[in-house]
C-alpha cells in the first residue's frame, strides 16, 4: 500500500511497510525510511507507484482552474475529496485527489486551510482584494525591474529624480524606487551614493557631502524668508574714534574693530568695538528665532551658510565708511607700567569705522621685524605699534596664569591653513600661527571675552561660558575637555579665570545671548539681574547651551569633512603623488603642504615632529579616504623634543570647532590655546 501524506508543511509519497498503532513505517522513493502518523495520511492507494503519482499530481495541479475551483467550492468548509467529486464530476482518482490537494495548498489567497485536508473558500471581497494586491505587486515588480535596467545603463529613472536625497539619506525601504536602487547596487557591486554619482542623480562628490549635511540639518532649505530689518531704537552716543577692523579678504560678517586714543597724561585708551545686533534683535522676535534655530554660521571652504539673513548682517556689520551701533569695551593702559590695564569701561554707542583692513594687504607689511624697527608705511601704523605692545603683555600674563594652572607654555610654531575656492579650483595657503596681526586680534578678543565674562559674574547675571580644566575623567584629555557652562569658571588652556564668547554676535548665537546680558549690565548696573533677558538657572539658557553644542558639533564635523574633501581635490589638482608629511603621533601623519591627516598602519616608531616622504597610492572623494605607503624617514627636525607636547595636543585634544581660516575672524584662527585645546573638529577625521 502506498501513502500520500503531509510532513512539515510539505506533501510526500511512500510505500507503507508496516503499521503499528497510530503510525506507519514508510519507505520513501529514495530508500529512506520514516515514521508517519496516521493523522498525517491524506490518501491510501495501490497504484500508481509513489514517484509516478507525485508527478501526475503536479501536472494535474498545474491544469486546475483556480477561479472555477473557487466557484465550485461554495461558502462552507469542505474536505478535498468532497470538492474533488464536484470538480472532476466523479470520485477523484488518487492522482487527481493528490493534485487537488497540491492546488488547494498552493492557493492560500483562494482557500483558507482549516485542518488536514480541509479548506474553506475565501470570501469574495477578500479574494478580490488579495488578487488586486498580487497584481499590484506583479506590476511593481515589472516597474522595479525596469528601473534596475535603467540604473545599470547609467540612466536615472524619471520617478527617482525628485527623490534622490531621500533615497540616499532617509529612504523608505518599502518603495519600488529604493528596492530598485538596492537591487541595482547589488548587481553592480557598488553603493547607492556611487551609483547616484554615476547616473547623474548627484553631480559631484562635493555636492554629495553638502547635500547630506543640508538634508540632515536644513531640511527646509538654507535660505531665509523675507524679514524686516531690525532698527536700533536706543539713542546712542557717537564715539570719538576712528575704528578699523582686521579680517581675511573673504570675510563679510565683520563683527570686531579697534581704536587707539592717546590720552593727555601719557596713558592710552584702546577700544574693542563689537557689532551690536543685540540692540536691534530682541529675544523671541522673528529674527531671534531664525538665529536660534541655526545657532551659528556654517563655514566650509569657498562657501558659508550664515546664521542671520544678509540684510540683517549688512545692517550691523562694521563696514568701512559707516557709523555702526556697537558694544564697546575701552581699556585705559599705562605704557610706563608694562601696559597695565588701569581701568575698563563698557558702553553701547555709534562707532565710525574708518577702515576694513585685510590680511592679504598687510601680512607682508606688518610683521615682528617692521613693528620692531618702525619701517614701512601702512594704515594705522601708530595704532598697530600700540596694540602689538599690549598684545604681547596680554599673552605673557595669560602664560603665567596658564602655568599657575599647571600647564606648560603654549608653542606658537604650528601652521594654520586657509582654503580659497574659485570655480572648483582650490588654493591652500599656509599661515604660521602667532603672526602679529593674528596675535593682536586674538589677544584683544580673549581680553574682551574674559573681561565681559567677569562683568556678568560680578553683576550676578548668567552668561554662556567656555570652561576647561578640572573636569571628571581618568585621562588628562578628559579632564581638559572644554565645556559650556552658565557660570564663570576658569579656562585653563587660555590662562584666564573666565571666558564668555561675546565677540562674534553676527556669527554665533551664544555671543548674541551674551551680548544681551552684557548690555543689561552696561545700561542698568546693579539692577541688571532684574532686566536681563535670562535669569540665573534659566531653563531656556540651559536649552540654548545644549542646542548650541549639538549644532556646533555637527557644523564642525561637516567643516572637517569639506576641508578633507578639498584636500583630496588639491592632490588631484596638483597631481601630487610623492609628498612630505610630519608625524603627529604613532601612525598618524599630516601632510606638510595641506592639513590632510593620514593614518599609516604599520608605521615604524618615529619621534613626533619627524618628517617623512609618502607615496600616495589612491584616494576617494566619496569616502574621503586615502591610501599611502612610506618611502623614507627624514631626520627629526631640531627642536622637535621641545614641540612634542604641541603635536600631542593637536592629536589628543584637537582644535576649536570654528570657522574655516578663509572666513574666520582672526580670533578663530589665532586664539592659540582655545584652538589647540578645544574639542576635536577642524582636523579632518583620521581614516
Amino acid at each position: 500500500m502506498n501513502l500520500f501524506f503531509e510532513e512539515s508543511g510539505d506533501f510526500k509519497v511512500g510505500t507503507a511497510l508496516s503499521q503499528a498503532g497510530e503510525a506507519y513505517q514508510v519507505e520513501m522513493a529514495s530508500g529512506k525510511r520514516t515514521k508517519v502518523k496516521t493523522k498525517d495520511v491524506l490518501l491510501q492507494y495501490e497504484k500508481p507507484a509513489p514517484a509516478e503519482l507525485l508527478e501526475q499530481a503536479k501536472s494535474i495541479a498545474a491544469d486546475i482552474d483556480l477561479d472555477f475551483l473557487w466557484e465550485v467550492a461554495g461558502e462552507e468548509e469542505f474536505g478535498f475529496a468532497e470538492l474533488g467529486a464536484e470538480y472532476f464530476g466523479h470520485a477523484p482518482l488518487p492522482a487527481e485527489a493528490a493534485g487537488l490537494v497540491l492546488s488547494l495548498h498552493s492557493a492560500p489567497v483562494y482557500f483558507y486551510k482549516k485542518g488536514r485536508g480541509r479548506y474553506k473558500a475565501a470570501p469574495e471581497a477578500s479574494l478580490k482584494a488579495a488578487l488586486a494586491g498580487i497584481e499590484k505587486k506583479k506590476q511593481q515588480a515589472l516597474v522595479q525591474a525596469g528601473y534596475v535596467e535603467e540604473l545599470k545603463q547609467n540612466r536615472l529613472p524619471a520617478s527617482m529624480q525628485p527623490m534622490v536625497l531621500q533615497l540616499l539619506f532617509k529612504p523608505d525601504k518599502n518603495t519600488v524606487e529604493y528596492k530598485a536602487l538596492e537591487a541595482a547596487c547589488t548587481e553592480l557591486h557598488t553603493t547607492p551614493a556611487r551609483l547616484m554619482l554615476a547616473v547623474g542623480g548627484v553631480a559631484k562628490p562635493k555636492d554629495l557631502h553638502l547635500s547630506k549635511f543640508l538634508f540632515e540639518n536644513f531640511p527646509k532649505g538654507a535660505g531665509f524668508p523675507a524679514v524686516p530689518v531690525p532698527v536700533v531704537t536706543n539713542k546712542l552716543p557717537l564715539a570719538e574714534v576712528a575704528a578699523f577692523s582686521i579680517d581675511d579678504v573673504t570675510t563679510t560678517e565683520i563683527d570686531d574693530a579697534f581704536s587707539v586714543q592717546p590720552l593727555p597724561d601719557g596713558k592710552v585708551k584702546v577700544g574693542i568695538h563689537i557689532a551690536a545686533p543685540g540692540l536691534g534683535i530682541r529675544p523671541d522676535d522673528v529674527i531671534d528665532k531664525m538665529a536660534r534655530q541655526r545657532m551659528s554660521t556654517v563655514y566650509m571652504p569657498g562657501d558659508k551658510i550664515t546664521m542671520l539673513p544678509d540684510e540683517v548682517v549688512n545692517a550691523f556689520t562694521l563696514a568701512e565708511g559707516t557709523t555702526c551701533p556697537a558694544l564697546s569695551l575701552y581699556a585705559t593702559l599705562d605704557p610706563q607700567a608694562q601696559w597695565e590695564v588701569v581701568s575698563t569701561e563698557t558702553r553701547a554707542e555709534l562707532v565710525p569705522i574708518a577702515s576694513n583692513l585685510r590680511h592679504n594687504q598687510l601680512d607682508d607689511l606688518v610683521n615682528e621685524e617692521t613693528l620692531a624697527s618702525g619701517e614701512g608705511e601702512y594704515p594705522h601704523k601708530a595704532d598697530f605699534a600700540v596694540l602689538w605692545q599690549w598684545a604681547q603683555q596680554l599673552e605673557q600674563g595669560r602664560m603665567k596664569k596658564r602655568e599657575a594652572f599647571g600647564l606648560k607654555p603654549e608653542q606658537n610654531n604650528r601652521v594654520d591653513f586657509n582654503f580659497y575656492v574659485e570655480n572648483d579650483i582650490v588654493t591652500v595657503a599656509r599661515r604660521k600661527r602667532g603672526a602679529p596681526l593674528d596675535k593682536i586680534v586674538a589677544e584683544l578678543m580673549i581680553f574682551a571675552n574674559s573681561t565681559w565674562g567677569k562683568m556678568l559674574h560680578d553683576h550676578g547675571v548668567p552668561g554662556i561660558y567656555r570652561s576647561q580644566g578640572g573636569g571628571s575623567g581618568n585621562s588628562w584629555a578628559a579632564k581638559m575637555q572644554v565645556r559650556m557652562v552658565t557660570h564663570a569658571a576658569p579656562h585653563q588652556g587660555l590662562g584666564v579665570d573666565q571666558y564668555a564668547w561675546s565677540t562674534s554676535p553676527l556669527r554665533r548665537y551664544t555671543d548674541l545671548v551674551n551680548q544681551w546680558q552684557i548690555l543689561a549690565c552696561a545700561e542698568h548696573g546693579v539692577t541688571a539681574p532684574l532686566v536681563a533677558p535670562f535669569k540665573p538657572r534659566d531653563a531656556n539658557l540651559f536649552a540654548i547651551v545644549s542646542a548650541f553644542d549639538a549644532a556646533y558639533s555637527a557644523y564642525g564635523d561637516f567643516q572637517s569633512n569639506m576641508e578633507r574633501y578639498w584636500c583630496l581635490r588639491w592632490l588631484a589638482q596638483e597631481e601630487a603623488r610623492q609628498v612630505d608629511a610630519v608625524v603627529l603621533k604613532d601612525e598618524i601623519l599630516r601632510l606638510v603642504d595641506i592639513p590632510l591627516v593620514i593614518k599609516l598602519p604599520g608605521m615604524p616608531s618615529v619621534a613626533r615632529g619627524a618628517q617623512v616622504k609618502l607615496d600616495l597610492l589612491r584616494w576617494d572623494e566619496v569616502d574621503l579616504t586615502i591610501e599611502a605607503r612610506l618611502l623614507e624617514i627624514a631626520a627629526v627636525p631640531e627642536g622637535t623634543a621641545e614641540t612634542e607636547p604641541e603635536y600631542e595636543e593637536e592629536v589628543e585634544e584637537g582644535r576649536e570647532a570654528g570657522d574655516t581660516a578663509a572666513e574666520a575672524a582672526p580670533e578663530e584662527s589665532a586664539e592659540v590655546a582655545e584652538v589647540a585645546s578645544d574639542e576635536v573638529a577642524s582636523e579632518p577625521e583620521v581614516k
Side-chain angles (χ1 to χ4, degrees), residues 119-425:
Y119 298 87
K120 183 177 181 181
E124 183 176 3
S126 299
L127 177 61
K128 287 182 177 179
L131 291 176
I134 292 172
E135 182 61 27
K136 181 180 179 180
K137 288 183 178 179
K138 287 181 180 178
Q139 295 302 319
Q140 288 178 337
L142 292 175
V143 171
Q144 179 179 319
Y147 289 167
V148 171
E149 287 305 311
E150 284 192 75
L151 290 169
K152 287 166 64 176
Q153 295 172 23
N154 281 352
R155 294 199 312 269
L156 182 63
S159 68
M160 287 189 179
Q161 292 173 8
M163 54 192 307
V164 168
L165 301 184
Q166 187 78 32
L167 288 169
L168 287 177
F169 308 132
K170 194 178 179 181
D172 179 351
K173 296 185 179 181
N174 293 318
T175 61
V176 173
E177 289 80 6
Y178 176 78
K179 292 176 180 178
L181 179 62
E182 188 178 45
C185 288
T186 300
E187 292 189 35
L188 295 171
H189 305 290
T190 189
T191 64
R194 295 183 190 281
L195 184 52
M196 280 299 180
L197 285 166
V199 301
V202 179
K204 294 175 289 191
K206 177 188 74 172
D207 300 326
L208 179 70
H209 301 307
L210 178 58
S211 297
K212 184 175 189 296
F213 172 76
L214 293 175
F215 185 86
E216 293 174 349
N217 294 276
F218 294 85
K220 296 182 180 179
F224 291 96
V227 293
V229 176
V231 177
V232 177
T233 56
N234 308 45
K235 188 173 182 180
L236 303 176
L238 178 65
E240 296 181 358
V241 300
F244 59 95
S245 64
I246 310 168
D247 295 281
D248 187 83
V249 66
T250 61
T251 301
T252 57
E253 297 157 296
I254 302 174
D255 41 23
D256 54 78
F258 313 98
S259 63
V260 178
Q261 296 172 275
L263 300 178
D265 60 0
K267 296 183 176 61
V268 177
K269 181 184 284 188
V270 172
I272 301 171
H273 310 285
I274 304 302
L279 292 170
I281 303 171
R282 304 311 305 163
D284 291 325
D285 70 12
V286 64
I287 298 177
D288 172 51
K289 290 176 181 177
M290 288 180 184
R292 182 169 176 175
Q293 188 174 29
R294 300 196 176 202
M295 285 294 172
S296 169
T297 290
V298 182
Y299 290 95
M300 68 199 90
D303 203 358
K304 64 181 176 180
I305 303 169
T306 59
M307 180 181 77
L308 295 169
D310 288 345
E311 56 269 30
V312 177
V313 171
N314 293 337
F316 291 98
T317 189
L318 304 182
E320 179 177 309
T322 63
T323 299
C324 306
L327 179 63
S328 297
L329 172 63
Y330 288 100
T332 300
L333 313 174
D334 187 352
Q336 303 304 316
Q338 296 185 323
W339 299 93
E340 177 187 359
V341 178
V342 177
S343 63
T344 60
E345 178 188 5
T346 297
R347 63 172 179 257
E349 59 186 3
L350 294 173
V351 176
I353 307 300
S355 310
N356 289 149
L357 305 180
R358 303 294 183 174
H359 281 288
N360 63 315
Q361 298 168 343
L362 291 179
D363 279 346
D364 293 337
L365 298 173
V366 184
N367 52 55
E368 294 186 23
E369 291 75 19
T370 58
L371 286 167
S373 66
E375 296 177 355
E377 293 299 327
Y378 44 86
H380 300 276
K381 180 177 179 179
D383 297 339
F384 276 120
V386 170
L387 296 179
W388 175 237
Q389 293 297 320
W390 187 35
Q392 293 179 92
Q393 293 300 317
L394 287 172
E395 182 182 43
Q396 290 175 21
R398 288 196 305 106
M399 291 305 98
K400 289 180 182 178
K401 176 74 74 171
R402 178 182 163 101
E403 291 179 39
F405 286 133
L407 303 180
K408 295 181 179 180
E410 294 171 356
Q411 300 286 339
N412 287 341
N413 58 351
R414 285 189 289 177
V415 176
D416 286 324
F417 296 85
N418 289 12
F419 289 80
Y420 301 95
V421 179
E422 188 172 354
N423 298 325
D424 270 356
I425 303 297

